[in-house]
Amino acid sequence: MKNIFDQSVSNEVIARINTLTPTTPAKWGKMTAPQMLAHCNVTYELVYDSIHPKPSFFMKFIMKTMVKKTVVNDVPYPKNGRTGDMFIITGDKDFSAEKTRLINYINKAQQDGASFFEGKESDGFGKLTAQEWNNLFYKHLDHHLTQFGY
């Protein structure tokens, strides 16, 4: 798994994002390119912004015991997998705004670095290692950029 906290990897991911257009078609799934960017932003919103409700105790238990391993391991996501409700993006999204937000989030996470994320609490998964945060970030971005051919 590539290290998203490494500047060259972040730059590579950003270059892939910069190849997208508002009309780039998906190879699978239902999202448009602008919706995919908004979807990828949710991962970072959960870290940096307080705009999503925190999961209930029961939901956090389910996420930690049944979902966490799949999200933070180094095995790529399958095509057309299930996603959490807050990640479901509908309606039109502003491609340019979502792209700018995502690039800014990637740069912020890279600048904060692995040490910032070591032991950082995830609302749904509890404390994660920097490697788990890396896997979560990179794997998700790679999955969706591959979905759109990049």
Side-chain angles (χ1 to χ4, degrees):
M1 181 77 48
K2 292 186 179 182
N3 183 355
I4 196 71
F5 301 122
D6 180 276
Q7 181 72 55
S8 64
V9 174
S10 289
N11 288 344
E12 174 189 308
V13 170
I14 291 167
R16 290 168 69 190
I17 291 167
N18 282 326
T19 61
L20 293 167
T21 70
T23 59
T24 301
K27 293 184 173 193
W28 73 83
K30 299 175 184 175
M31 287 190 288
T32 64
Q35 288 171 333
M36 178 272 288
L37 294 172
H39 168 89
C40 289
N41 277 321
V42 173
T43 303
Y44 292 96
E45 290 168 356
L46 290 167
V47 173
Y48 291 114
D49 305 319
S50 297
I51 61 174
H52 298 284
K54 294 186 187 300
S56 67
F57 176 81
F58 177 72
M59 184 54 73
K60 188 171 182 175
F61 174 78
I62 296 296
M63 290 175 67
K64 284 175 78 170
T65 58
M66 300 177 76
V67 179
K68 177 181 174 180
K69 182 178 178 186
T70 302
V71 173
V72 302
N73 70 22
D74 60 359
V75 177
Y77 295 131
K79 294 177 183 175
N80 296 314
R82 286 190 35 86
T83 191
D85 290 346
M86 71 183 70
F87 287 88
I88 297 172
I89 306 296
T90 58
D92 294 334
K93 294 294 175 184
D94 181 313
F95 177 83
S96 180
E98 296 299 336
K99 178 177 154 183
T100 298
R101 282 188 339 115
L102 184 55
I103 290 170
N104 288 342
Y105 280 135
I106 292 167
N107 283 328
K108 179 162 181 45
Q110 188 279 318
Q111 290 164 3
D112 286 345
S115 61
F116 174 82
F117 287 94
E118 186 61 47
K120 183 166 180 53
E121 184 87 16
S122 160
D123 288 344
F125 302 133
K127 288 187 179 184
L128 299 177
T129 67
Q131 184 63 53
E132 289 171 325
W133 279 108
N134 172 71
N135 292 355
L136 182 153
F137 289 141
Y138 182 80
K139 182 165 79 166
H140 191 233
L141 291 167
D142 184 62
H143 173 78
H144 288 296
L145 289 170
T146 300
Q147 176 186 13
F148 281 81
Y150 298 100

